[in-house]
Amino acid sequence: MHRWSRLFIPTLREAPADAEVASHKFLVRSGYIRQLGAGIYSYLFLGQRSINKIIAIVRQEMDRIGQEFLLPGIMPSEIWKESGRWTGMGQNMFRLQDRKGAELCLGMTHEEVVTDIARKELRSYKQLPQIWYQIQTKYRDEPRPKAGLLRVRTFIMKDSYSFDLDEAGLDLSYKKHDQAYRAIFTRCGLSFVAVEADSGAMGGSQSQEFMVYTDAGEDLIVSCPKCGYAANLEKATSRLERVDELASTGDGKPELVHTPGKASIADVAEFFQILPAQDIKTVAYMAEVRDGKKTTWEPVVAFLRGDHSVNETKLAGVTKASELRPMVAEELEKFFGGPAGYLGPIGLGVSKHLHDRGVNVILDKSLEGRENMVAGANKFDYHYRNVTPGRDFGWTVSADIRSVAEGEACPLCGSPLKIGKAVEVGHIFKLGNRYTDVMGARVLDPNGKEVTPIMGCYGIGIERILTASIEQNNDTNGFWLPRAIAPFDVVVTVTNISDAKLLATGEEVAGSLEAAGFDVLLDDRDERAGVKFKDADLIGIPYRINVGKKAAEGKVELVTRARASSEDVVLGEVAQRLASQ
RNA sequence: CGGGGAGUGGCUCAGCCUGGUAGAGCACCUGGUUCGGGACCAGGGGGUCGGAGGUUCGAAUCCUCUCUCCCCGACCA
């Protein structure tokens, strides 16, 4: 039994000044964590207990499908150079040198390490499939750590890696993880959604994120309340309603119109008395393209419906850009011949294929088949009308490069879509042979033919489970965790320890609860009752047994933190009663 | 990396504009009274005012540089 009077649980009456989100405030106030530096935290007694419970659940579910390893937290640069990520991963990696000057890095992820093991040890298809996992601290030099434990520079991650002979095998490993993750997050008491995710520049084929809705989240999730469709905004699509086309004017060809001072979509729409959807939006970028060792910057111009917004993740995916930045004025002048506000598609030197000479013009699919639109004329204070894509201008690639907006129709069932903020707690990812191939992992298949195993990787942010849970379960007085991940199941509060009888009763109750298998914290501090109640409400423990006034009648109170409800329980029945909660 | 904000006792902050040698509340220690929703009274301990340099008779306060933290953006296999 843990006696509060002897523990270090530094609760704070006030939230630290630099905390913004609820989980951050409460984690600090409740004495779970203390900050050492930006994105660097110590986990104190309560925090560590909660983390341990989360890890135990993750471990238990993962052991059903895989094998736990412990991998190095520090590693030589060579394997990263082999995979091409020594430069590719760039700035997010903590790098260091040993005394001989050799380059090392702190482990931010372990694909290279497990692939190195795989290539040295795996010889035959008979050894496949393999699922290896680790639960370890990872180090990432985040450009901007924030929101307490939500985005940090050192954190605990469950990462697993699967090796399979073929796609069918990978499908199975992926599916196993999907199921394990659902079991894990369910057991942790989280309300979560699995969403389609962007596979990124990794070239993976399929990817799913496990998200918990909260305003503290950094991701935007598009979902359909009707059919269950859910996707990261970076990936989401929607069904669009047909837009009424404008009637053509004059001879039907693009007509130059003087539009003094009309530099925004809204102004132009008002000027022409049209809908923004009848206007063409032009967004101009310079894209960084890495081709092996060579890095070049190419012009990329996106055309979209006036009422749509460009989705840079999609655009980067389509153009294979490692980075996108808006064009500066000189570049606009160079490629368009006109200034921002009056950019348009007519007269651009369009490249035939991506990365060819010329401007990479990416047309959003929603503009295909449209006609008589309004667009900038690449001339200060002028626009065109009667602009018809295909007839009046061409493009390099047509693709979905826009962001879905709230209320648009679900791509599956047509119901209005919702958009909400969420935290990513897990991610499963079909990697393919990207690492196994370049690092030379090969096995012989049943025909004696050499094949490259294909990989999947699967991560869970341990602290994010705790953080997300707090975000979901808090009020002004504190938070409550589900029993499965709370540092203690129950706190037994003795309202006045100077009453020896009362203290003895509290110890007896705590002892009986412990005997019944509960994790019990006995609040035997020499504090006033009010202080103890406030602390108990603050620190995330789901139940409180109050040993006070009614003890004389042989009763205690069972307080359920989530509902702030209280019921009297006869002394002998406490364990039984709690177990039935 | 761009923009904004903040560093004063353990915590939350005032003082800075208009220089005169540091304060409040909470926390902590001692004694007493209290004891079911963060008690009260009395006494007490604790601060290189983030750091360095400069201006000045005198700097928490003015100037320069620098470090750190927070927020927005960029970024985020």
Side-chain angles (χ1 to χ4, degrees), chain A residues 504-534:
Chain A
T505 304
E507 286 173 334
E508 195 185 311
V509 170
S512 70
L513 285 171
E514 204 157 64
F518 292 96
D519 276 339
V520 184
L521 174 61
L522 175 68
D523 192 352
D524 60 342
R525 293 175 299 166
D526 185 11
E527 290 286 355
R528 296 166 64 82
V531 172
K532 298 187 184 189
F533 296 158
K534 288 287 186 190

Short mmCIF file of all heavy atoms in Angstrom, two decimals, chain A residues 504-534:
data_model
loop_
_atom_site.label_atom_id
_atom_site.label_comp_id
_atom_site.label_asym_id
_atom_site.label_seq_id
_atom_site.Cartn_x
_atom_site.Cartn_y
_atom_site.Cartn_z
N ALA A 504 -7.13 4.17 11.43
CA ALA A 504 -7.11 2.71 11.45
C ALA A 504 -8.14 2.15 10.47
O ALA A 504 -7.88 1.18 9.75
CB ALA A 504 -7.39 2.20 12.86
N THR A 505 -9.30 2.79 10.43
CA THR A 505 -10.33 2.34 9.49
C THR A 505 -9.85 2.51 8.06
O THR A 505 -10.02 1.62 7.22
CB THR A 505 -11.63 3.16 9.68
OG1 THR A 505 -12.03 3.06 11.05
CG2 THR A 505 -12.74 2.65 8.78
N GLY A 506 -9.22 3.65 7.79
CA GLY A 506 -8.69 3.90 6.44
C GLY A 506 -7.67 2.86 6.05
O GLY A 506 -7.70 2.33 4.93
N GLU A 507 -6.80 2.52 6.97
CA GLU A 507 -5.77 1.51 6.67
C GLU A 507 -6.41 0.16 6.42
O GLU A 507 -5.98 -0.59 5.54
CB GLU A 507 -4.78 1.43 7.84
CG GLU A 507 -3.86 2.64 7.87
CD GLU A 507 -2.97 2.69 9.10
OE1 GLU A 507 -3.38 2.11 10.15
OE2 GLU A 507 -1.91 3.32 9.03
N GLU A 508 -7.43 -0.11 7.19
CA GLU A 508 -8.13 -1.39 7.02
C GLU A 508 -8.79 -1.46 5.65
O GLU A 508 -8.68 -2.45 4.94
CB GLU A 508 -9.18 -1.49 8.13
CG GLU A 508 -9.76 -2.85 8.33
CD GLU A 508 -10.88 -2.78 9.37
OE1 GLU A 508 -10.64 -2.18 10.44
OE2 GLU A 508 -11.98 -3.28 9.09
N VAL A 509 -9.47 -0.38 5.27
CA VAL A 509 -10.14 -0.34 3.97
C VAL A 509 -9.11 -0.46 2.85
O VAL A 509 -9.26 -1.25 1.91
CB VAL A 509 -10.93 0.98 3.80
CG1 VAL A 509 -11.41 1.13 2.36
CG2 VAL A 509 -12.11 1.01 4.75
N ALA A 510 -8.03 0.31 2.98
CA ALA A 510 -6.99 0.27 1.95
C ALA A 510 -6.40 -1.13 1.85
O ALA A 510 -6.18 -1.65 0.75
CB ALA A 510 -5.90 1.28 2.28
N GLY A 511 -6.18 -1.76 3.00
CA GLY A 511 -5.63 -3.11 3.01
C GLY A 511 -6.55 -4.10 2.33
O GLY A 511 -6.11 -4.95 1.55
N SER A 512 -7.84 -3.97 2.60
CA SER A 512 -8.78 -4.92 2.01
C SER A 512 -8.89 -4.72 0.49
O SER A 512 -9.04 -5.69 -0.25
CB SER A 512 -10.16 -4.78 2.66
OG SER A 512 -10.76 -3.57 2.28
N LEU A 513 -8.79 -3.46 0.08
CA LEU A 513 -8.84 -3.19 -1.36
C LEU A 513 -7.61 -3.76 -2.05
O LEU A 513 -7.69 -4.35 -3.12
CB LEU A 513 -8.93 -1.69 -1.61
CG LEU A 513 -10.29 -1.06 -1.34
CD1 LEU A 513 -10.22 0.45 -1.40
CD2 LEU A 513 -11.32 -1.57 -2.34
N GLU A 514 -6.49 -3.60 -1.37
CA GLU A 514 -5.26 -4.11 -1.96
C GLU A 514 -5.32 -5.63 -2.06
O GLU A 514 -4.92 -6.22 -3.06
CB GLU A 514 -4.07 -3.68 -1.12
CG GLU A 514 -2.79 -3.66 -1.91
CD GLU A 514 -1.77 -2.73 -1.26
OE1 GLU A 514 -1.36 -3.02 -0.13
OE2 GLU A 514 -1.43 -1.72 -1.88
N ALA A 515 -5.85 -6.24 -1.02
CA ALA A 515 -5.99 -7.70 -1.02
C ALA A 515 -6.90 -8.14 -2.16
O ALA A 515 -6.77 -9.26 -2.67
CB ALA A 515 -6.53 -8.18 0.32
N ALA A 516 -7.82 -7.28 -2.52
CA ALA A 516 -8.76 -7.62 -3.60
C ALA A 516 -8.17 -7.30 -4.97
O ALA A 516 -8.85 -7.43 -5.99
CB ALA A 516 -10.07 -6.86 -3.41
N GLY A 517 -6.92 -6.84 -5.00
CA GLY A 517 -6.26 -6.65 -6.29
C GLY A 517 -6.24 -5.23 -6.81
O GLY A 517 -5.83 -5.00 -7.95
N PHE A 518 -6.65 -4.28 -6.00
CA PHE A 518 -6.64 -2.89 -6.47
C PHE A 518 -5.30 -2.23 -6.15
O PHE A 518 -4.65 -2.57 -5.16
CB PHE A 518 -7.75 -2.08 -5.79
CG PHE A 518 -9.12 -2.51 -6.21
CD1 PHE A 518 -9.86 -3.41 -5.44
CD2 PHE A 518 -9.67 -2.01 -7.38
CE1 PHE A 518 -11.13 -3.81 -5.83
CE2 PHE A 518 -10.95 -2.40 -7.78
CZ PHE A 518 -11.66 -3.30 -7.00
N ASP A 519 -4.93 -1.28 -7.00
CA ASP A 519 -3.79 -0.43 -6.69
C ASP A 519 -4.30 0.72 -5.84
O ASP A 519 -5.13 1.52 -6.31
CB ASP A 519 -3.17 0.14 -7.98
CG ASP A 519 -2.21 -0.84 -8.61
OD1 ASP A 519 -1.73 -1.74 -7.89
OD2 ASP A 519 -1.94 -0.72 -9.82
N VAL A 520 -3.80 0.79 -4.63
CA VAL A 520 -4.40 1.72 -3.66
C VAL A 520 -3.41 2.78 -3.20
O VAL A 520 -2.26 2.48 -2.88
CB VAL A 520 -4.88 0.93 -2.41
CG1 VAL A 520 -5.59 1.88 -1.45
CG2 VAL A 520 -5.79 -0.20 -2.82
N LEU A 521 -3.89 4.00 -3.17
CA LEU A 521 -3.12 5.10 -2.59
C LEU A 521 -3.87 5.55 -1.34
O LEU A 521 -5.04 5.92 -1.41
CB LEU A 521 -3.02 6.25 -3.61
CG LEU A 521 -2.38 7.55 -3.11
CD1 LEU A 521 -0.94 7.30 -2.69
CD2 LEU A 521 -2.43 8.61 -4.22
N LEU A 522 -3.21 5.47 -0.20
CA LEU A 522 -3.84 5.88 1.06
C LEU A 522 -3.41 7.30 1.39
O LEU A 522 -2.23 7.58 1.60
CB LEU A 522 -3.43 4.93 2.19
CG LEU A 522 -3.93 5.32 3.59
CD1 LEU A 522 -5.45 5.18 3.68
CD2 LEU A 522 -3.26 4.47 4.66
N ASP A 523 -4.39 8.19 1.42
CA ASP A 523 -4.06 9.58 1.76
C ASP A 523 -4.08 9.74 3.28
O ASP A 523 -5.10 10.03 3.88
CB ASP A 523 -5.03 10.55 1.10
CG ASP A 523 -4.52 11.99 1.21
OD1 ASP A 523 -3.53 12.21 1.94
OD2 ASP A 523 -5.12 12.89 0.57
N ASP A 524 -2.90 9.55 3.85
CA ASP A 524 -2.76 9.61 5.31
C ASP A 524 -2.00 10.87 5.72
O ASP A 524 -1.37 10.91 6.76
CB ASP A 524 -2.00 8.37 5.81
CG ASP A 524 -0.60 8.29 5.20
OD1 ASP A 524 -0.36 8.95 4.17
OD2 ASP A 524 0.23 7.54 5.74
N ARG A 525 -2.06 11.87 4.85
CA ARG A 525 -1.33 13.10 5.17
C ARG A 525 -2.03 13.89 6.27
O ARG A 525 -3.25 13.83 6.41
CB ARG A 525 -1.23 13.99 3.92
CG ARG A 525 -0.37 13.40 2.82
CD ARG A 525 -0.41 14.28 1.61
NE ARG A 525 -1.78 14.39 1.07
CZ ARG A 525 -2.16 15.30 0.17
NH1 ARG A 525 -1.30 16.19 -0.25
NH2 ARG A 525 -3.40 15.32 -0.26
N ASP A 526 -1.23 14.61 7.00
CA ASP A 526 -1.77 15.48 8.04
C ASP A 526 -2.19 16.80 7.39
O ASP A 526 -1.54 17.81 7.52
CB ASP A 526 -0.69 15.73 9.10
CG ASP A 526 -1.24 16.53 10.28
OD1 ASP A 526 -2.48 16.70 10.35
OD2 ASP A 526 -0.44 16.98 11.10
N GLU A 527 -3.27 16.70 6.65
CA GLU A 527 -3.80 17.89 5.97
C GLU A 527 -5.28 18.01 6.28
O GLU A 527 -5.92 17.04 6.69
CB GLU A 527 -3.64 17.74 4.44
CG GLU A 527 -2.22 17.81 3.93
CD GLU A 527 -1.65 19.22 3.94
OE1 GLU A 527 -2.41 20.17 4.26
OE2 GLU A 527 -0.45 19.36 3.66
N ARG A 528 -5.79 19.17 6.01
CA ARG A 528 -7.23 19.36 6.18
C ARG A 528 -7.96 18.60 5.08
O ARG A 528 -7.43 18.37 3.99
CB ARG A 528 -7.57 20.84 6.11
CG ARG A 528 -6.94 21.64 7.26
CD ARG A 528 -7.00 23.11 6.97
NE ARG A 528 -8.37 23.59 6.91
CZ ARG A 528 -9.09 23.90 7.99
NH1 ARG A 528 -8.55 23.79 9.20
NH2 ARG A 528 -10.31 24.33 7.87
N ALA A 529 -9.18 18.21 5.38
CA ALA A 529 -9.95 17.39 4.44
C ALA A 529 -10.05 18.07 3.07
O ALA A 529 -9.91 17.43 2.03
CB ALA A 529 -11.33 17.12 5.00
N GLY A 530 -10.29 19.37 3.08
CA GLY A 530 -10.47 20.08 1.82
C GLY A 530 -9.27 19.96 0.90
O GLY A 530 -9.41 19.79 -0.30
N VAL A 531 -8.10 20.03 1.50
CA VAL A 531 -6.87 19.90 0.71
C VAL A 531 -6.82 18.53 0.05
O VAL A 531 -6.48 18.39 -1.12
CB VAL A 531 -5.64 20.11 1.62
CG1 VAL A 531 -4.35 19.80 0.87
CG2 VAL A 531 -5.62 21.54 2.15
N LYS A 532 -7.17 17.53 0.82
CA LYS A 532 -7.11 16.16 0.29
C LYS A 532 -8.14 15.94 -0.82
O LYS A 532 -7.87 15.26 -1.81
CB LYS A 532 -7.35 15.17 1.42
CG LYS A 532 -6.31 15.24 2.51
CD LYS A 532 -6.52 14.12 3.51
CE LYS A 532 -5.54 14.24 4.65
NZ LYS A 532 -5.57 13.06 5.51
N PHE A 533 -9.30 16.51 -0.64
CA PHE A 533 -10.33 16.37 -1.68
C PHE A 533 -9.87 17.02 -2.98
O PHE A 533 -10.00 16.47 -4.06
CB PHE A 533 -11.65 17.01 -1.23
CG PHE A 533 -12.27 16.35 -0.02
CD1 PHE A 533 -13.19 17.04 0.76
CD2 PHE A 533 -11.96 15.03 0.31
CE1 PHE A 533 -13.76 16.43 1.87
CE2 PHE A 533 -12.54 14.42 1.42
CZ PHE A 533 -13.44 15.13 2.20
N LYS A 534 -9.33 18.21 -2.84
CA LYS A 534 -8.87 18.94 -4.03
C LYS A 534 -7.78 18.15 -4.75
O LYS A 534 -7.78 18.03 -5.97
CB LYS A 534 -8.33 20.31 -3.63
CG LYS A 534 -9.40 21.30 -3.21
CD LYS A 534 -10.19 21.78 -4.40
CE LYS A 534 -11.18 22.86 -4.00
NZ LYS A 534 -12.12 23.18 -5.10
#
